[in-house]
Amino acid sequence: MLTSEFFSDRSTQQVAAALLGKLLVCQTAQGPLSAWITETEAYLGTADAGAHAFKNHQTNRNRALWLPAGTIYIYQMRTQFLLNLVTQVAGVPECVLIRGVEPASGIATMQANRPVPRNNLTTGPGKLMQAFGLDKRLNGTQLSSETLNLDFKAARTPVKINSSPRIGILNKADWTTAPLRYFVVGNPFVSRVRQREVDEVNHGWQE
């Protein structure tokens, strides 16, 4: 499957759910780093009060959102960088935030970038960017096998996907409670997961 085909004819909500289990691969000077996507959030553009493109508000910071599907949109919030993937045709500023990933390869490099125990390495959008050693340099570029890409052949299949309100979207009327966050049930690499909810054997993946 080509990356462009993955986004084609899918709503942003469908993309957010379909990304779960896909392998995110980052090329670095130390070798490739990879991780399975475990948690995402959908942002629905000009109508979405929780989105950067709400009311068609375009700035230098968010201009990547108006580029074609497969464009990388990275923004900075305080000291952290957050990774998003544009999901629709050029001019429709919708995206998916990658909130959590389960490390697959290059874990030693990830822990050198972010020196914490493995179970806390990538359980949040800022954490995974630190672990991958990423900043804003890829903002506005397309997913590519030379930089950052999705490996569909190495994907895993969740046993169950749940949705919930997005995290940190406050005082935005119905958009605060809209179930636009998607996650792999039972996976430990999900924001705010409780230990009793973790599938200790398979991490919520089909065998």
Side-chain angles (χ1 to χ4, degrees), residues 22-67:
K22 302 303 182 287
L23 191 70
L24 187 69
V25 182
C26 181
Q27 302 299 330
T28 75
Q30 293 75 38
L33 311 179
S34 67
W36 291 286
I37 298 173
T38 59
E39 181 183 10
T40 59
E41 288 181 351
Y43 287 86
L44 306 184
T46 60
D48 183 347
H52 289 173
F54 183 50
K55 295 184 177 179
N56 210 41
H57 180 65
Q58 187 173 165
T59 66
N60 286 332
R61 181 193 187 213
N62 70 2
R63 189 158 289 133
L65 285 170
W66 278 261
L67 297 177

Side-chain angles (χ1 to χ4, degrees), residues 26 34 48 81 89 95 101 120 145-146 148 156 167 172-173 187 193-194 201:
C26 181
S34 67
D48 183 347
F81 297 100
V89 297
C95 70
V101 297
N120 187 35
S145 59
E146 297 180 355
L148 185 71
R156 304 182 79 173
I167 294 174
K172 302 297 183 183
N187 193 279
V193 68
R194 299 174 183 175
V201 177

Side-chain angles (χ1 to χ4, degrees), residues 16-26 33-40 83 98-107 110 118 121-124 128 132 148-158 182-184 187-191 201-206:
L19 280 169
L20 298 176
K22 302 303 182 287
L23 191 70
L24 187 69
V25 182
C26 181
L33 311 179
S34 67
W36 291 286
I37 298 173
T38 59
E39 181 183 10
T40 59
L83 173 64
I98 309 301
R99 278 206 63 93
V101 297
E102 178 176 344
S105 69
I107 296 171
M110 291 187 200
R118 185 175 182 273
L121 191 56
T122 53
T123 53
L128 72 89
F132 273 65
L148 185 71
N149 206 15
L150 298 169
D151 183 345
F152 300 103
K153 293 181 180 179
R156 304 182 79 173
T157 303
Y182 303 85
F183 58 95
V184 178
N187 193 279
F189 293 92
V190 170
S191 303
V201 177
N202 295 318
H203 290 184
W205 306 116
Q206 294 183 22

Side-chain angles (χ1 to χ4, degrees), residues 160-191:
K160 183 178 180 181
I161 293 171
N162 267 2
S163 62
S164 75
R166 295 171 294 190
I167 294 174
I169 305 299
L170 306 175
N171 304 315
K172 302 297 183 183
D174 291 344
W175 293 101
T176 293
T177 56
L180 296 173
R181 171 177 171 255
Y182 303 85
F183 58 95
V184 178
V185 175
N187 193 279
F189 293 92
V190 170
S191 303

